[in-house]
Amino acid sequence: MPNVLITGAGRGLGRAIAEHFHAQNYHVIATDYDLSLLADLDDRDRYETHALDVRDIEAAGAVAERIAGAHDGLDVIVNNAGIIGYFPLVEADPEITLNHFRINSFGPLIVTQACLDLLVKAKGTVINISSESSVQPMAFQPYPSTKGALESISQAMRQELVLLGCHVAYIRPGPIATDLFATVHDMKNQVENSRFETYFQNFADSVKKRAPKNPS
């Protein structure tokens, strides 16, 4: 039976991906930073759950060790975990912006590296979830930039892992009706007393007007 590891599988797109692979008779290793989001999967056949903060190198290694103790390899890794936020990058605490990159851009590399032996053993595939917005970085949100960085990292991963018989792909989903997409309707500047408040509000109003009416 093939095995798939999915990050951010507690809800939204990650949960939909988990259900899809499960329907295709995969054993699904569902992970999320909040284990309670996966509690409903605990009693279901061909599911196992692990708490995993994709920023945490040691935690990723520990999860990989537990997987290695129970399975021969990983056929697929889906790096789906991600966050979104809205704020002026030049004003916000740099740690806030760096956190977005740690999760969205470097989390997939951390998880893949931790599971590398399992992946190579199965000659598996890595799927990194990017975004349609990756080609259009814009003011007041780091998300497109983090996904652009992820795509560059994915290209390097692909060129390296093909030498070991593995494949890497990234996918650019468009708007999907998830909690993450819902944030476009209620943008608030995370920086107090921002110099950009008027500009930010204009940006938020514009995005709300242009948001797709019928997301997938």
Side-chain angles (χ1 to χ4, degrees), residues 21 76-80 125-129 167-171:
F21 274 100
V76 184
I77 299 172
V78 182
N79 289 304
N80 164 77
T125 295
V126 177
I127 302 172
N128 293 331
I129 302 299
H167 181 59
V168 177
Y170 60 80
I171 297 174

Side-chain angles (χ1 to χ4, degrees), residues 23-190:
Q24 303 302 315
N25 294 315
Y26 276 73
H27 177 84
V28 178
I29 303 162
T31 73
D32 208 292
Y33 76 98
D34 182 353
L35 196 57
S36 69
L37 296 174
L38 303 168
D40 62 303
L41 301 178
D42 287 340
D43 297 325
R44 292 180 60 184
D45 185 43
R46 290 189 290 109
Y47 272 109
E48 68 179 89
T49 62
H50 300 279
L52 176 58
D53 181 338
V54 299
R55 299 168 297 183
D56 190 330
I57 296 171
E58 290 186 4
V63 169
E65 285 184 12
R66 290 197 291 274
I67 295 171
H71 306 284
D72 289 333
L74 272 176
D75 299 274
V76 184
I77 299 172
V78 182
N79 289 304
N80 164 77
I83 60 171
I84 195 167
Y86 305 97
F87 49 85
L89 276 68
V90 297
E91 281 187 327
D93 182 339
E95 280 298 325
I96 296 175
T97 304
L98 288 171
N99 189 54
H100 283 254
F101 279 89
R102 288 180 183 120
I103 295 172
N104 295 355
S105 307
F106 299 112
L109 182 60
I110 289 170
V111 172
T112 301
Q113 189 177 89
C115 298
L116 190 58
D117 288 342
L118 291 159
L119 182 74
V120 172
K121 190 171 184 179
K123 302 298 183 186
T125 295
V126 177
I127 302 172
N128 293 331
I129 302 299
S130 182
S131 168
E132 196 176 54
S133 68
S134 64
V135 298
Q136 191 177 7
M138 60 184 69
F140 306 136
Q141 58 172 315
Y143 186 79
S145 296
T146 65
K147 292 303 187 178
L150 173 60
E151 292 186 7
S152 292
I153 291 169
S154 298
Q155 295 280 18
M157 291 172 64
R158 174 188 292 141
Q159 292 175 27
E160 293 177 356
L161 285 174
V162 70
L163 303 175
L164 302 178
C166 300
H167 181 59
V168 177
Y170 60 80
I171 297 174
R172 291 178 179 166
I176 300 175
T178 64
D179 290 345
L180 187 147
F181 175 74
T183 61
V184 303
H185 298 289
D186 189 30
M187 289 187 193
K188 290 183 174 60
N189 190 347
Q190 297 177 26

